[in-house]
Amino acid sequence: MPSTPVPAPPGEAPAEAVKPLMRGISVLRALSDADGRAAIGALARTTGLARATLDRILATLARMGYVRLTGHEAVLAPRLMELGNAYLSATRLPERLGPLAERLADELDESVSLAVPDGDGIRFVHQSTRRRAMSLTFRIGDLLPAERTAPGPLFAAGWSEEEWERWRARRAGDPEDRGFPAVPPLPPEPGSRSGSGSGRRTGHARRFEELAARARKDGWAMDDQLIEPGLIALSVPVRALHAPADARPVCVASVVSHTSRHSAASLRETLLPRLRAAVTEMAQELARPPHMPRPPRPPEEPRPPEVPLPSRADGRPEGPGLASWTAASKQELGREFIESLARGLTVPTAFGEGRDALTLSAVAEATGLARATARRALITLEHLGHVTAAPDRTFRLTSRVLSLGFPALSRTTLPQIAAPHLAELSGRVDDSASLAVLVGDDVQYTARVATRRIMNVNITTGTRFPAYATSMGRVLLAGLLADLPYDELTARLARAEPRPLTRHTVTRPAELATLLEGVRRAGYALVDEELEEGLRSIAVPVVDRTGAVVAALNVAMHTSRRDVAACLTEVLPELRATAARVEADLDVVGRFTRVPAV
Ligand code: PHB
């Protein structure tokens, strides 16, 4: 696997660059730097774009599902992560090395991360976090200045003089690291007016050059509280098997700890051998041809914990496809829609697993774009450092693609994913819509959009009800049927000691178990006045990419609003469409990150 070359910072744009694509990317970057949310007025100021231009760009990004517009604000939307996902699946690093990093983190009970270079910075492509309180945790896609990290010197060990020059220029231009929102700024130097080029910072710079030279010799590097007090890290480069010792690393693996548990010296002495052993395994893993079965693991070892699956369990195809907007007519897209921006942003989605280096023709074919259009988009993306071109005329994505919203979005929870879809559903059916998960024998509300008060209890996020008497509870319990034999399910239902909450409540465990079978087959649950007189609700499951039921979605109403038949014809299709939208977003967000259910 070739290492990622360091892209130069953009100079003047080539004549063929697509200006609307450049502007659209500047808006996405500005939103990302604002951690995913900004007032539109503020965006106009930070990007320097005219308000009318910005409005058209935002309308286009909203139509693509990459941002949401909420009155005066723009918010990054989960679907944008498909761009970063394309880069991550093309590198195969999280898929291949993630499980090994996870195992090492378990073994050491410390955080383990994988980083790649981006210019003179480093970006994380994987995090196996075991970090306790007290220190920063970085997200996938976060950019850190190389000189304040442990992986930095290992990448800098291979820099050309030109790359060192660029690094010096960046430090002189941004002495406090303001261009790296993920790290605390370096405090201004006491007694220094200009800040740049003098005293401690010059010392810092010289130290980094020495550290890079040492890292080249030692094959490891350390971060002894360069980012913040207490935070220490030890790093070892992962190189392709049989690559020369001075070849650029494919990535760098780090163990991250805290001074409350280790000194820099003890971290190195106790953990370096184990980190090195893990890195050797990582290099071997990268050398395995694709789709060769992994050697069996010794039986006493635990299964590696949650690592995103490489492909969908339901057989839906993975990989490039035409973007949804391409099917829409010009009229449907509206006059605001900037097609050249949308086309350009479709180009990264041509890349993915087994598609890391693509020719222009392959990009055009995968995206459905004309060759000339794909070519100009690639030239633009190359100019911005999101794509590199190899002498063999193939293109690759770079880690900079992760700067397009990935860190901010990588912490999205299921309730956050669902919230805008619930609001839309509630608006459409004019009744309350909610999301819930199973907690013990209860359902617990995790998101809710209320229209009118339908019950004499006030339901908010966090409210719990007995699962057996609610539509969401039945959908969630029915989800367990796949794992639990009928007898165990009945026993579990009995443990909840079902009580009649109204004169309609079904309480006999065997009867409930039979109802759950029906719910599982039908794919929905309708519960009529079993929790409260006058309350009718209907729920459907939300399923993740492995097929597991991760939440339930419902609409609840007073019985006078609709009869049962109307619930099935009017509400159920809307619920199902909403669940499909939530699942599609969950799929994108959950590809390389774990999505919290609460
Ligand atoms: C991290 O993974 O959070 C990390 C890695 C290397 C550092 C600092 C933090 O130097």
Side-chain angles (χ1 to χ4, degrees):
M1 180 180 301
S3 63
T4 319
V6 178
E12 199 174 323
E16 286 159 298
V18 183
K19 300 294 180 313
L21 177 55
M22 294 180 62
R23 290 188 202 111
I25 286 177
S26 78
V27 170
L28 288 173
R29 297 273 314 239
L31 266 170
S32 307
D33 287 347
D35 223 27
R37 172 183 294 268
I40 295 171
L43 268 183
R45 283 193 297 281
T46 48
T47 57
L49 292 168
R51 182 59 193 251
T53 309
L54 178 59
D55 284 343
R56 289 193 63 195
I57 289 169
L58 289 173
T60 306
L61 295 172
R63 181 65 182 74
M64 297 180 80
Y66 287 175
V67 302
R68 272 189 303 114
L69 300 174
T70 62
H72 71 290
E73 268 194 335
V75 185
L76 293 179
R79 174 130 313 207
L80 178 60
M81 287 180 86
E82 72 188 10
L83 304 185
N85 285 347
Y87 163 75
L88 291 172
S89 52
T91 67
R92 294 172 162 263
L93 292 175
E95 177 210 332
R96 293 245 164 160
L97 306 190
L100 295 170
E102 202 64 39
R103 206 168 77 189
L104 182 64
D106 276 347
E107 201 178 296
L108 307 179
D109 194 26
E110 298 282 3
S111 298
V112 173
S113 64
L114 300 173
V116 296
D118 180 355
D120 57 17
I122 70 154
R123 273 190 206 279
F124 295 109
V125 293
H126 177 84
Q127 284 280 358
S128 291
T129 309
R130 298 287 177 283
R131 214 164 303 169
R132 289 148 281 254
M134 294 191 297
S135 58
L136 287 173
T137 50
F138 294 106
R139 305 165 297 186
I140 297 174
D142 270 334
L143 179 71
L144 275 55
E147 68 279 12
R148 285 175 74 186
T149 69
L154 293 160
F155 290 122
W159 282 358
S160 63
E161 191 38 46
E162 193 191 338
E163 285 168 309
W164 277 107
E165 253 332 295
R166 259 186 245 143
W167 174 76
R168 285 184 205 107
R170 187 261 287 163
R171 292 215 24 106
D174 180 15
E176 291 171 16
D177 294 337
R178 300 278 170 192
F180 297 89
V183 295
L186 277 180
E189 210 166 349
S192 148
R193 229 167 268 270
S194 73
S196 67
S198 63
R200 202 181 119 209
R201 287 210 178 80
T202 321
H204 202 109
R206 201 168 315 117
R207 254 199 326 274
F208 185 50
E209 291 169 62
E210 284 162 16
L211 284 177
R214 236 189 22 233
R216 191 179 310 123
K217 211 159 77 282
D218 296 342
W220 55 267
M222 289 214 63
D223 160 5
D224 188 0
Q225 310 179 72
L226 294 169
I227 296 168
E228 62 162 19
L231 182 62
I232 53 176
L234 171 68
S235 297
V236 169
V238 183
R239 292 203 169 81
L241 214 58
H242 311 307
D246 60 353
R248 293 196 170 196
V250 176
C251 66
V252 165
S254 308
V255 178
V256 190
S257 187
H258 194 270
T259 46
S260 57
R261 293 189 297 285
H262 274 293
S263 67
S266 77
L267 186 65
R268 192 186 60 236
E269 277 155 24
T270 57
L271 303 189
L272 183 58
R274 288 202 270 179
L275 175 57
R276 281 202 153 131
V279 161
T280 302
E281 265 191 88
M282 289 180 183
Q284 286 161 351
E285 176 65 33
L286 289 177
R288 272 195 320 113
H291 306 308
M292 218 167 78
R294 234 174 262 255
R297 299 162 59 83
E300 70 279 5
E301 279 182 64
R303 254 166 22 96
E306 292 166 286
V307 167
L309 293 177
S311 62
R312 297 186 53 99
D314 66 5
R316 249 197 273 163
E318 195 89 31
L322 298 189
S324 60
W325 62 268
T326 51
S329 68
K330 270 199 163 40
Q331 202 176 3
E332 282 171 293
L333 293 169
R335 284 196 310 140
E336 296 274 277
F337 192 78
I338 309 169
E339 229 169 317
S340 56
L341 167 56
R343 287 189 177 131
L345 284 179
T346 304
V347 161
T349 66
F351 296 81
E353 195 181 332
R355 305 175 59 80
D356 60 326
L358 298 179
T359 61
L360 167 59
S361 307
V363 170
E365 196 181 330
T367 53
L369 297 173
R371 264 176 75 93
T373 310
R375 185 175 154 271
R376 288 192 60 198
L378 284 165
I379 288 171
T380 312
L381 292 169
E382 187 184 359
H383 166 67
L384 297 176
H386 293 264
V387 157
T388 53
D392 67 355
R393 306 176 122 213
T394 59
F395 297 89
R396 286 170 194 272
L397 295 180
T398 74
S399 66
R400 193 163 297 171
V401 173
L402 295 171
S403 71
L404 305 177
F406 207 91
L409 291 165
S410 69
R411 294 267 167 95
T412 309
T413 64
L414 185 57
Q416 289 168 335
I417 290 174
H421 301 297
L422 287 181
E424 205 178 303
L425 170 65
S426 172
R428 251 206 286 261
V429 298
D430 195 24
D431 270 305
S432 306
S434 305
L435 185 79
V437 293
L438 202 57
V439 177
D441 296 325
D442 290 341
V443 283
Q444 179 166 0
Y445 284 72
T446 53
R448 176 168 168 82
V449 176
T451 47
R452 64 199 82 213
R453 247 182 85 173
I454 46 160
M455 305 172 68
N456 43 28
V457 258
N458 232 343
I459 305 175
T460 56
T461 299
T463 298
R464 287 189 183 199
F465 289 123
Y468 62 87
T470 65
S471 63
M472 291 196 282
R474 290 204 185 149
V475 158
L476 291 163
L477 289 168
L480 296 177
L481 276 173
D483 305 323
L484 289 184
Y486 186 85
D487 292 353
E488 275 180 47
L489 182 72
T490 314
R492 181 176 168 140
L493 289 166
R495 255 205 325 272
E497 296 178 5
R499 297 177 294 118
L501 304 168
T502 70
R503 61 209 157 89
H504 305 285
T505 314
V506 176
T507 54
R508 283 186 36 240
E511 198 181 335
L512 281 167
T514 307
L515 280 175
L516 294 184
E517 266 296 344
V519 168
R520 193 182 59 86
R521 272 199 308 273
Y524 73 88
L526 191 143
V527 172
D528 224 4
E529 305 191 81
E530 292 190 49
L531 180 68
E532 188 176 310
E533 302 281 351
L535 176 71
R536 178 170 290 149
S537 82
I538 177 165
V540 297
V542 175
V543 174
D544 73 5
R545 54 196 294 120
T546 71
V549 175
V550 290
L553 194 71
N554 89 343
V555 168
M557 70 204 85
H558 195 270
T559 43
S560 62
R561 292 262 305 145
R562 285 183 197 88
D563 61 19
V564 168
C567 275
L568 297 184
T569 55
E570 291 169 19
V571 181
L572 183 57
E574 294 288 352
L575 263 175
R576 287 193 158 139
T578 305
R581 286 186 203 107
V582 173
E583 286 166 359
D585 281 356
L586 177 60
D587 234 39
V588 177
V589 181
R591 181 93 192 268
F592 292 105
T593 66
R594 208 188 57 77
V595 182
V598 179

